[in-house]
Amino acid sequence: DQQVKQNSPSLSVQEGRISILNCDYTNSMFDYFLWYKKYPAEGPTFLISISSIKDKNEDGRFTVFLNKSAKHLSLHIVPSQPGDSAVYFCAASAWISGGGADGLTFGKGTHLIIQP
Amino acid sequence: DGGITQSPKYLFRKEGQNVTLSCEQNLNHDAMYWYRQDPGQGLRLIYYSQIVNDFQKGDIAEGYSVSREKKESFPLTVTSAQKNPTAFYLCASSFTRDQPQHFGDGTRLSIL
């Protein structure tokens, strides 16, 4: 049962336009969400995160929006650049009893293609 | 330069053999993690460790083992009990769960 879902395997956007990547989750215990960018044969690179006490976090061209009632988050990239072409993963974590760090639950990724 | 080093980048194993993947970090992170990625899939958690000499099973721990004898190191052994070991393995670390995990560049394991 997938707890984090990225329903678009790929997305094509024109350079300079806005890219919007979506992510849905089912586990109401998730309280920390992240977006990672990944190139083939490399490890994911952290982009931006948001905790459940916020509904928006912004860092340069990247903005993440969180809608807790809908269990939905999205990543906006404005403006889109050719170097943004990569696979984007949404990830989430839940506080475990006893506290401490635990692993992330990842979606399957969305391949973003920026067209010139 | 601080970071996470995984070695080797490519690894080949004969069926029935155990193999150990290395992960070293010099970020002074307390927590370390191992994930597996299969084609077209997201990353799945194998094992994680919050502190030295402690580790916990993730979602797909069967056929794997780990150790955490030093803060900087978290090696993963893929045992012969792992029925489908061919995959891309990623190691990560973080200060705490409220901090982003940083990833190494991965090891691709293939069965000969």
Side-chain angles (χ1 to χ4, degrees):
Chain A
D1 182 30
Q2 248 191 305
Q3 298 187 66
V4 177
K5 298 178 186 177
Q6 293 178 257
N7 292 320
S8 299
S10 67
L11 176 67
S12 185
V13 174
Q14 211 162 7
E15 182 179 356
R17 299 282 183 101
I18 182 171
S19 295
I20 300 176
L21 295 95
N22 293 304
C23 178
D24 297 295
Y25 61 96
T26 58
N27 187 344
S28 58
M29 298 301 291
F30 287 147
D31 62 354
Y32 182 54
F33 304 89
L34 308 91
W35 283 94
Y36 284 86
K37 174 181 178 180
K38 187 180 183 299
Y39 295 115
E42 293 184 8
T45 301
F46 168 72
L47 277 177
I48 192 167
S49 64
I50 188 167
S51 81
S52 59
I53 61 172
K54 292 185 173 183
D55 53 20
K56 178 183 173 181
N57 190 25
E58 201 169 345
D59 184 1
R61 294 187 300 116
F62 302 94
T63 303
V64 56
F65 295 92
L66 175 62
N67 182 335
K68 288 187 289 294
S69 60
K71 294 192 177 67
H72 177 83
L73 65 154
S74 61
L75 174 69
H76 293 209
I77 306 174
V78 183
S80 301
Q81 299 174 354
D84 295 331
S85 294
V87 176
Y88 289 78
F89 288 99
C90 170
S93 73
W95 187 259
I96 56 173
S97 70
D102 62 352
L104 297 172
T105 301
F106 282 82
K108 291 187 177 182
T110 296
H111 185 193
L112 177 64
I113 301 161
I114 305 301
Q115 295 181 334
Chain B
D1 251 354
I4 301 175
T5 302
Q6 290 187 243
S7 60
K9 195 164 180 65
Y10 299 96
L11 191 55
F12 299 92
R13 185 191 100 172
K14 292 182 181 178
E15 281 197 46
Q17 280 184 338
N18 292 354
V19 65
T20 297
L21 283 61
S22 168
C23 178
E24 304 277 331
Q25 55 98 1
N26 60 5
L27 299 167
N28 200 31
H29 286 168
D30 289 310
M32 296 187 74
Y33 313 82
W34 275 104
Y35 295 89
R36 165 182 173 142
Q37 186 186 20
D38 294 285
Q41 301 292 318
L43 284 65
R44 291 182 291 166
L45 181 66
I46 304 172
Y47 266 99
Y48 64 98
S49 167
Q50 299 177 21
I51 56 172
V52 174
N53 293 323
D54 180 70
F55 48 82
Q56 306 294 329
K57 291 182 179 179
D59 301 319
I60 54 166
E62 186 175 347
Y64 299 97
S65 65
V66 293
S67 62
R68 186 87 187 276
E69 297 175 3
K70 297 188 300 183
K71 186 175 185 176
E72 302 80 18
S73 178
F74 191 40
L76 173 75
T77 297
V78 184
T79 75
S80 56
Q82 169 49 236
K83 292 183 171 39
N84 186 18
T86 296
F88 189 48
Y89 290 88
L90 287 156
C91 178
S93 69
S94 67
F95 281 116
T96 67
R97 70 171 300 277
D98 292 335
Q99 297 292 321
Q101 293 180 18
H102 296 269
F103 285 81
D105 278 339
T107 292
R108 185 165 298 281
L109 175 63
S110 301
I111 302 303
L112 296 177

